[in-house]
Each structure stands twice: as structure tokens, then as C-alpha cells.
């Protein structure tokens, strides 16, 4: 079950693929089947949209005791990111000390390992973010 | 030990990085500098000694993460540190073939590794992480491959059996009969066939298991320090295995100018070498290098970590609660 779910979300997780509404021009993440502002008028007028992965941190929290899978990464930062093209997303900030992370700092998307189903199961990959150098 | 091996620092993967994530980042950076549509890529080869899956190609993960699927082929290659250049040769073969028979005009060759040696072993000191991706095509190239040839023998200098975490090596074979013989023969056969000599090249790059071997081999082949400096990265980032020679070549292409000639020879234990004669084209002056980090920028971007953090990263010490 989990393998199939991860596979269905692959485009979203790998490529930050969301939806563009051709009626109002809005960009949405994750993918949606109806534009939140145009509602029924957007039916049949939605297309796949790939976000650049550039954004700005609008808030964040530092996790000191994470899930067992993340024990080698604590303390780590989970941030609320305003995407350049619109909409926002929650993602982990990697490759910097938590003390370097600040609201308003620019970030870029990186491709990382998200989780793995034990030592014999599949590995899930997808987006995380890091401070733009 | 650092001084003996000529390695001052090495790159280490973060806990959430592996050969697949490094390959994807390298591929995306290569595409960022190019105007080709990922859908045009007809083949992806990923050379690595540290593919995350034993069965399930890293190439498939890269394909999906750059949007190259589904009309394409891909495979993971293994040949110790020269698996990446073996992929480079395969790409050249496919893109230069008859379009009626094999309609592939553009391919991606990646070398990436997150290798490790047993703690305390000399390999532990130099084994590092990194990846390089080259887009191989026929049109709009920044460097023309004039010739590629390989030199292969069955030499037991270095191996790792299925299921073993760390590789083993036979001291007796590691230097002269393995690295030096194969790289030297590989370089000489290229120069013989091209009718070139060391002084005809602006740059030379050889596989870099440590900082010392490439200096020694380039000297015995008649190259001077100026010719190899732009491609010498192991002293600063360690041995990136499958990416090692390709990283050097990428570093050279970061600074190369039109008309310059490059000799590049990789080495893989087991053992073999892949040699390349390259000539930089006029298009390099328009190549948008700034759209992705240069090798020097990527190398300078690292965060210094202590051994405890390093071990935690590499899962070598049993951690609390695990
Ligand atoms: Zn709308």
C-alpha cells in the first residue's frame, strides 16, 4: 500500500509539481483538482505546473527530538516556505546549523532521501530545502 | 596520514544523501546550464560503487527526477572508479549511432559515489562523496571527444564481495601493476593514435585515488604541474570514486577556452582505464557556467564537521536508542 502511495506522489515529491489554474493564473501545491478561488470555473482548465523550488522562509521550528528515522539529523529545522510562484509549502531545511536559519532568508530546493521502509524496503526521495548561497 | 596521501579534506554526504540524490543534483545542474528539454534525453547511465539499491536502478530515480521518462533507456554501471566514464563511452556510442536504428541524440553520463573505507583504514581517510553529470550529444557541444579508448586486464587490486560493507584491497597490487600501469597504458595509447605528445595538451586529468598518484603519473607521462592543476580536486575534496576523474574534467571545463586540448584518463580497480582526447569548441565562450556552481564553488561550499558528527553521519558508531 505504502509503496503505491509513494509512487503516486512521485512527481509532486521529486519535481515539486503542482497545479496552474488557466482561469486566474494561480499556482498551487500540492496538485489540486479544483482552483480554490475559481472553484467550478476551473474544471478542465488546470494544468501541471513545476515550481522552481525557490522561496522564502516565513516561519520555522527546530526539532530536537525527531522521529527515529531522523535521529541522525537532530536538531533539524522544519520551515514554512513561501514559494516564488505563489502558494507555500512545509519542508526541511538542510545543510546549515539551525542558528543560521532566519525568517526572510531565501531557500532553494534540493533532492534528498525522505525516509526508508526499514533496511529492506523502498527508499522515498523528494524535495527538501537549503539556504540559497 | 593526510600528508602521506596528499589529501587535506574530504567531502562527506549528509545523512539524507546517497548516490541517487547526488546523481539527481548533478543532473539538474547539468540541465540548468543547457537549453535541452529533459524529454530529449534518450539514455541515462549512472556509474557508482554505492548505488542505494542492489536491484532497482539509480538511473530510474534520476530519470523521473529530471523529467526524462518514459521514452528512454537507463542503466546502472559498475567498474570501481571508472563506472562513470564507462557510461560516458556508452553515451557516445548511442548518440553517434545511426538515428534510423537508435533514435537517441542526447544522453546523460553520471558518476556519483558515497564511498567509505573501514574505520582506521587508509581508504577511510580519502574515500569521499560527490557526483558529476555530463550531457552527451552531437550538436552544440562545448568539447568534442576526438578519441576514446580503454585498457582492461583482470587484476585483483581492490574488491568488495556482495553484502560486505567495506571493500578489501591487496597491498601488493594497488600501486604499480594496477593504477600506474593502466593509467599509463591508457594515456599512451591515446597519444599514440592521435599522434600527440604531452606538450600538445593544455590540460591533463587522471583518476585521483589520493593526492599523490596523479602527480606521480603525470610526471612520468611528461606533464607539468600547470597542465594538471585545474583538474586536481582530490587534495581538497577526497576521492569521489566514480566521480573522481569526471570531477577533474568538469573543473577543467570550468576554466577552459576555445581550442584547448585535454587528455583525460580514468581508472577503475579490477582493473581498467578509459582514456579520452577532447578539444574545447568555440561554444564554450557562450556556455552559461554561472547557471550552476563551478567545481571550485561546490568544493568551497562545504561545512567543516568533526569526526563524531562524521561517524554519526556514516552510521559507524552505534547510536543511542538505535
Ligand atoms: Zn483559478
Amino acid at each position: 500500500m505504502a509503496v503505491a502511495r509513494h509512487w503516486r506522489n512521485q512527481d509532486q515529491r521529486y519535481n515539486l509539481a503542482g497545479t496552474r489554474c488557466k482561469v486566474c493564473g494561480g499556482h498551487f501545491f500540492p496538485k489540486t483538482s479544483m482552483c480554490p478561488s475559481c472553484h467550478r470555473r476551473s474544471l478542465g482548465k488546470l494544468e501541471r505546473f513545476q515550481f522552481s523550488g525557490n522561496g522564502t522562509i516565513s516561519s520555522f521550528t527546530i526539532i530536537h527530538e525527531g522521529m527515529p528515522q531522523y535521529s541522525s539529523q537532530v536538531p533539524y529545522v522544519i520551515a514554512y516556505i513561501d514559494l516564488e510562484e505563489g502558494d507555500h509549502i512545509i519542508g526541511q531545511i538542510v545543510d546549515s546549523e539551525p542558528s543560521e536559519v532566519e525568517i526572510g532568508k531565501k531557500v532553494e530546493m534540493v533532492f534528498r532521501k525522505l525516509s526508508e521502509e526499514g533496511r529492506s524496503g523502498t527508499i522515498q526521495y523528494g524535495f527538501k530545502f537549503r539556504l540559497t548561497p | 596520514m593526510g600528508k602521506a596521501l596528499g589529501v587535506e579534506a574530504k567531502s562527506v554526504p549528509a545523512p539524507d544523501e546517497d548516490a541517487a540524490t547526488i546523481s539527481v543534483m548533478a543532473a539538474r545542474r547539468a540541465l540548468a546550464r543547457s537549453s535541452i528539454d529533459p524529454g530529449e534525453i534518450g539514455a541515462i547511465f549512472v556509474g557508482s560503487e554505492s548505488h542505494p539499491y542492489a536491484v532497482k536502478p539509480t538511473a530510474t530515480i534520476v530519470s523521473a527526477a529530471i523529467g526524462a521518462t518514459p521514452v528512454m533507456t537507463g542503466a546502472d554501471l559498475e567498474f570501481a572508479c571508472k563506472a562513470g566514464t564507462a557510461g560516458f563511452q556508452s553515451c557516445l556510442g548511442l548518440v553517434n549511432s545511426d538515428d534510423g536504428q537508435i533514435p537517441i541524440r542526447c544522453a546523460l553520463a553520471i558518476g556519483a559515489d558515497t564511498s567509505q573505507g573501514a574505520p582506521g583504514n587508509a581508504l577511510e581517510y580519502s574515500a569521499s562523496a560527490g557526483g558529476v553529470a555530463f550531457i552527451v550529444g552531437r550538436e552544440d557541444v562545448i568539447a568534442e571527444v576526438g578519441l576514446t579508448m580503454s585498457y582492461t586486464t583482470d587484476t585483483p587490486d581492490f574488491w568488495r564481495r556482495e553484502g560486505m560493507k567495506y571493500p578489501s584491497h591487496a597491498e601488493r597490487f594497488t600501486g604499480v601493476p594496477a593504477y600506474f600501469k593502466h593509467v599509463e597504458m591508457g594515456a599512451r595509447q591515446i597519444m599514440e593514435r592521435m599522434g600527440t605528445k604531452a606538450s600538445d595538451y593544455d590540460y591533463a586529468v587522471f583518476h585521483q585515488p589520493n593526492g599523490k598518484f596523479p602527480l606521480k603519473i603525470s610526471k612520468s607521462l611528461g606533464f607539468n604541474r600547470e597542465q594538471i592543476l585545474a583538474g586536481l580536486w582530490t587534495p581538497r575534496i577526497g576521492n569521489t570514486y566514480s566521480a573522481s576523474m569526471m570531477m577533474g574534467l568538469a573543473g577543467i571545463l570550468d576554466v577552459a577556452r576555445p581550442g584547448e586540448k585535454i587528455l583525460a584518463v580514468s581508472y577503475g580497480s579490477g582493473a581498467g582505464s578509459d582514456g579520452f582526447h577532447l578539444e574545447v569548441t568555440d561554444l564554450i565562450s557562450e556556455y552559461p557556467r554561472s547557471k550552476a556552481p563551478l567545481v571550485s564553488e561546490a568544493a568551497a561550499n562545504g561545512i567543516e564537521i568533526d569526526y563524531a558528527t562524521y561517524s554519526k553521519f556514516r552510521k559507524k558508531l552505534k547510536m543511542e536508542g538505535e
Side-chain angles (χ1 to χ4, degrees), chain A residues 20-28 34-39 41-42 45-46:
Chain A
R20 179 179 176 272
C21 171
K22 288 193 264 188
V23 179
C24 68
H27 299 128
F28 309 102
M34 202 185 277
C35 172
S37 32
C38 306
H39 306 288
R41 279 187 296 135
S42 69
K45 301 219 165 74
L46 298 173

Side-chain angles (χ1 to χ4, degrees), chain B residues 38-69:
Chain B
E40 290 174 54
I41 293 170
I44 298 180
F45 295 107
V46 183
S48 181
E49 275 187 58
S50 43
H51 290 293
Y53 287 98
V55 177
K56 162 76 178 139
T58 306
T60 59
I61 299 165
V62 178
S63 313
I66 61 168
T69 50

Side-chain angles (χ1 to χ4, degrees), chain A residues 14-15 113 123 125 128, chain B residues 16 18 28-29 53 65 303:
Chain A
Y14 280 20
N15 299 315
K113 202 153 82 172
I123 306 168
Y125 294 99
K128 290 189 181 184
Chain B
D16 58 355
D18 60 21
R28 285 181 177 173
R29 286 176 175 182
Y53 287 98
I303 309 167

